[in-house]
Amino acid sequence: MLPWRRLLRPLAVLTLAAAALVAPAGAAQAASAPSSGWNDWSCKPSAAHPRPVVLVHGTFGNSVDNWLGFAPYLVHRGYCVYSLDYGQLPGVPLFNGLGPIDKSAGQLQVFVDKVLASTGAKKTDLVGHSQGGMMPNYYLKFLGGAPKVNALIGLAPDNHGTTLDGLTQLLPYFPGAEDLISSATPGLADQIAGSPFVTKLNAGGDTVPGVQYTVIATKYDEVVTPYRSAFLQGANVRNVVLQDLCPLDLSEHVAIGLTDRIAWHEAVNSLDPAHATRTTCASVFE
């Protein structure tokens, strides 16, 4: 990727943040109705897939748009699949995941309890993209989620925050910029590498006992930088680089969640390790 393009992508993210703040309040809200078979509250997990899967969208995402590909992919394979909206700001439609992340984790807590009550399952599996792969760690560590979760699978999660290709290091040179981000979009401020939220999240270790963690990262991530900051440390962790599975895979931060069937195949391996099959470039056709 050309250097100027790597610089423009983070700038586009910040521009989208500003656009979200001034979006018309009357714009259509993201649909919460089931699409292609997911969020079906009559679904009962099968013996083959006894745990429901909860999908956790990323920053600026929502429960539908973030999962238009992966949710049907799981449903087709026999899983009960659910997705939630979290982190909404007043007057900002469509773009979620912008509120304080500890409060978003509380929304996940309520949603998981609803899924477990509906399905009768004892535990769920969580799959999250970007912030959605990191935020559940707060639920597991601080909100009592660990006994209710078997596995957490992160697609390009910012588990240790992000520098946004170094742009966050420029904030001190713009007086008031950091305070503006914190007050206007606290969910963004929480994700900056070294933020109080990230520091608290990872204090005392990255993981909790009893949960299996998988991180699937891409070398071409321009949002979570450096990309290895996604990785977790612990005996119950499996860190995967997408290009180690398929060197031809050029997916960056958005595509790994929205369209990348190689990443999805590896995620399913983590959901059902007893029946895992090798993930290669050919997995795109499965």
Side-chain angles (χ1 to χ4, degrees):
M1 181 182 295
L2 296 175
W4 66 269
R5 292 186 66 187
R6 289 185 60 83
L7 289 172
L8 284 178
R9 288 183 186 274
L11 288 173
V13 172
L14 295 178
T15 301
L16 183 55
L21 291 175
V22 299
Q29 294 286 346
S32 58
S35 177
S36 298
W38 89 89
N39 280 346
D40 176 4
W41 295 98
S42 66
C43 187
K44 298 299 179 184
S46 65
H49 302 303
R51 294 179 301 275
V53 179
V54 173
L55 303 178
V56 190
H57 66 73
T59 310
F60 302 116
N62 59 62
S63 62
V64 175
D65 293 351
N66 211 140
W67 304 116
L68 287 172
F70 188 49
Y73 181 91
L74 291 176
V75 170
H76 180 69
R77 284 156 179 78
Y79 290 89
C80 290
V81 182
Y82 303 86
S83 61
L84 76 155
D85 287 311
Y86 71 86
Q88 299 93 334
L89 292 179
V92 181
L94 301 178
F95 300 108
N96 299 329
L98 298 173
I101 297 181
D102 58 345
K103 300 297 190 295
S104 294
Q107 293 177 291
L108 176 62
Q109 177 186 28
V110 171
F111 191 80
V112 167
D113 286 347
K114 179 181 177 182
V115 168
L116 294 179
S118 174
T119 59
K122 293 182 178 180
K123 290 189 175 185
T124 186
D125 290 319
L126 307 178
V127 182
H129 177 218
S130 191
Q131 181 190 161
M134 173 269 282
M135 176 269 278
N137 283 321
Y138 192 95
Y139 164 57
L140 298 177
K141 294 183 75 171
F142 301 110
L143 300 181
K148 301 175 183 179
V149 175
N150 170 71
L152 170 59
I153 301 160
L155 304 175
D158 52 343
N159 285 317
H160 295 95
T162 178
T163 67
L164 270 180
D165 268 349
L167 287 182
T168 60
Q169 299 173 22
L170 299 178
L171 288 175
Y173 297 97
F174 296 89
E178 195 162 0
D179 290 340
L180 176 61
I181 293 174
S182 297
S183 60
T185 53
L188 293 182
D190 284 346
Q191 295 178 75
I192 296 174
S195 71
F197 177 84
V198 168
T199 301
K200 176 182 177 180
L201 180 65
N202 295 302
D206 290 349
T207 65
V208 296
V211 179
Q212 298 301 312
Y213 297 81
T214 300
V215 174
I216 304 173
T218 171
K219 291 181 179 179
Y220 302 110
D221 201 320
E222 77 286 16
V223 175
V224 176
T225 59
Y227 75 90
R228 290 187 178 273
S229 65
F231 291 160
L232 298 169
Q233 301 297 320
N236 49 343
V237 173
R238 191 167 65 93
N239 293 313
V240 179
V241 179
L242 197 57
Q243 286 71 34
D244 290 343
L245 304 175
C246 175
L248 300 177
D249 195 319
L250 301 180
S251 289
E252 40 66 69
H253 184 78
V254 174
I256 194 175
L258 293 185
T259 61
D260 197 304
R261 294 175 69 93
I262 296 169
W264 299 350
H265 184 275
E266 189 64 10
V268 168
N269 279 346
S270 293
L271 292 173
D272 188 8
H275 299 94
T277 59
R278 186 183 176 198
T279 302
T280 68
C281 294
S283 299
V284 71
F285 301 110
E286 296 180 5

